[in-house]
Amino acid sequence: MADEGAWSGVVVKKSRAMYDGANLYRKLEVELDGGEVRNVKVKRDLWKQLEVGDRITKEPGADPHQA
């Protein structure tokens, strides 16, 4: 789930889906500080602890985490 690049923003939506019929994916829709909206796949533990309105941050090469 980690990719290069850093960003931070606010969770605007949480969702779950089974795109391939076997794996459950947890996604957050995040409004970045610059105004762009990005869909981000996250691990289950992080998805469970975040709510709409919470801040989330990602550093280069690391997974997103609650700010």
Side-chain angles (χ1 to χ4, degrees), residues 9-10 13 18-19 26 34 37 43 52 56 58 60 63 66-67:
V10 176
K13 183 179 177 182
M18 294 181 80
Y19 297 117
R26 291 162 184 88
V37 175
K43 294 181 180 175
V52 171
I56 184 171
K58 185 195 166 310
D63 289 335
Q66 187 170 12

Side-chain angles (χ1 to χ4, degrees):
M1 284 182 212
D3 61 50
E4 296 308 313
W7 50 261
S8 64
V10 176
V11 176
V12 294
K13 183 179 177 182
K14 292 174 63 173
S15 61
R16 294 182 290 198
M18 294 181 80
Y19 297 117
D20 58 12
N23 295 308
L24 181 63
Y25 294 94
R26 291 162 184 88
K27 290 186 356 180
L28 300 173
E29 191 171 300
V30 179
E31 182 176 344
L32 303 182
D33 293 340
E36 174 189 351
V37 175
R38 179 179 291 186
N39 288 314
V40 180
K41 280 196 278 185
V42 295
K43 294 181 180 175
R44 180 177 184 252
D45 291 343
L46 179 60
W47 190 88
K48 286 175 69 177
Q49 80 183 78
L50 288 169
E51 297 296 332
V52 171
D54 287 346
R55 287 200 59 79
I56 184 171
T57 302
K58 185 195 166 310
E59 283 84 28
D63 289 335
H65 61 87
Q66 187 170 12

